[in-house]
Amino acid sequence: MPTKLRCILLDDELPALAYLRVLCGQVPDVDVVRAFNDPIKFLQESTTLTFDLCILDIEMPGLNGLDVARQLTGKLVIFTTAYREYAAEAFDLDAIDYLRKPIQQDRFAKAIAKAQTQLASHTAERQYIQLNTSKGKGLLFFDQVQYITTGLDKRDKLVLLDTGEEMLVKNISFEKLLQALPEAGFCQINKKEIIAMKLVQFFTHDEITTTITDPNGKPRRFSLSENFRPAFLRRTGGSSFLQ
């Protein structure tokens, strides 16, 4: 069964964008999330969007597609262009494919199949757990979790993901979540919060400063309570604080 691809389209020419939409509509399991004709606007909004693949032109005013691709960490990329000379540089960026315009439907379908295969392989390597959420059954990928806190209903837990999205997990305890999460990667730090250890930047005996920011752009800080301090210190490789 093909892996469903969430795609972003980027081309400064509107007819080319329309044609890409048509091509995507002819391939099963491809969902076009957004289409942009301005690379600057795309980069400004890309961090708020959830997608797997970007299909983008190379020659665009303001910022070319190669420069855009360099900023898409962890995303699959297919280049579309009328020019031959960018192919080597495109594949140096680990592009899935390099499609010459005008794009043929069968050639486009092959490129999408490559992207689906690579995404499926990457997904299979990632650790996740299936949970009941406010939207139904959901997959919680451990590498996306930033922190987990108590929901409005204490039986529920709110998970903040690195995509900026939130997942409300229904009727589950911190104890059950900690049993499922990789032990070295996560720690409960107080009665109401679990954090991913990869976020920790600094810590004192009662506070943790992380690499994520609050709405004001300042580093997000979490309370480290006495009861959970020993477990946290074990994960950081320490045993005590200097006096």
Side-chain angles (χ1 to χ4, degrees), residues 20-231:
L20 283 175
R21 279 189 177 276
V22 170
L23 290 173
C24 288
Q26 294 173 347
V27 181
D29 298 296
V30 174
D31 179 23
V32 176
V33 177
R34 286 281 299 278
F36 292 86
N37 67 342
D38 182 338
I40 303 297
K41 184 176 181 182
F42 163 68
L43 286 177
Q44 290 172 343
E45 298 188 22
S46 63
T47 56
T48 67
L49 301 172
T50 301
F51 63 100
D52 309 301
L53 170 68
C54 183
I55 305 174
L56 71 163
D57 190 21
I58 292 183
E59 290 223 339
M60 294 180 288
L63 195 66
N64 73 34
L66 297 168
D67 293 329
V68 171
R70 291 187 182 97
Q71 300 185 49
L72 296 180
T73 305
K75 304 298 183 184
L76 305 177
V77 171
I78 293 174
F79 288 108
T80 65
T81 181
Y83 304 94
R84 294 179 181 272
E85 60 265 31
Y86 299 110
E89 193 171 355
F91 286 115
D92 282 344
L93 293 172
D94 296 323
I96 293 294
D97 215 329
Y98 185 90
L99 303 179
R100 291 283 308 283
K101 296 179 179 180
I103 303 168
Q104 302 300 312
Q105 196 278 333
D106 59 340
R107 184 69 181 82
F108 181 82
K110 288 179 181 179
I112 292 295
K114 289 181 188 179
Q116 289 173 326
T117 298
Q118 185 157 326
L119 180 63
S121 175
H122 176 62
T123 301
E125 294 172 358
R126 297 168 65 195
Q127 293 179 297
Y128 65 88
I129 183 175
Q130 179 177 288
L131 297 167
N132 293 319
T133 77
S134 58
K135 297 180 180 180
K137 294 288 185 181
L139 298 183
L140 179 62
F141 287 92
F142 300 151
D143 62 350
Q144 287 189 323
V145 178
Q146 294 194 317
Y147 67 87
I148 304 170
T149 188
T150 304
L152 293 176
D153 184 330
K154 292 183 179 180
R155 295 171 298 179
D156 301 336
K157 303 297 178 286
L158 189 65
V159 184
L160 180 71
L161 305 176
D162 61 7
T163 60
E165 297 175 299
E166 294 179 343
M167 178 184 290
L168 184 63
V169 181
K170 303 295 290 182
N171 196 26
I172 191 168
S173 66
F174 279 126
E175 182 181 9
K176 289 289 186 183
L177 282 169
L178 288 169
Q179 289 173 1
L181 293 167
E183 183 176 358
F186 295 87
C187 186
Q188 185 169 358
I189 55 173
N190 55 57
K191 289 184 178 181
K192 295 183 177 181
E193 291 168 322
I194 293 172
I195 68 166
M197 295 300 295
K198 65 183 179 182
L199 301 181
V200 176
Q201 188 171 37
F202 309 108
F203 60 90
T204 66
H205 73 286
D206 62 357
E207 186 179 76
I208 299 167
T209 302
T210 66
T211 56
I212 57 177
T213 56
D214 64 21
N216 296 318
K218 296 181 179 181
R220 178 71 190 270
R221 292 178 169 85
F222 293 85
S223 172
L224 176 60
S225 67
E226 182 177 359
N227 290 340
F228 297 93
R229 193 177 301 137

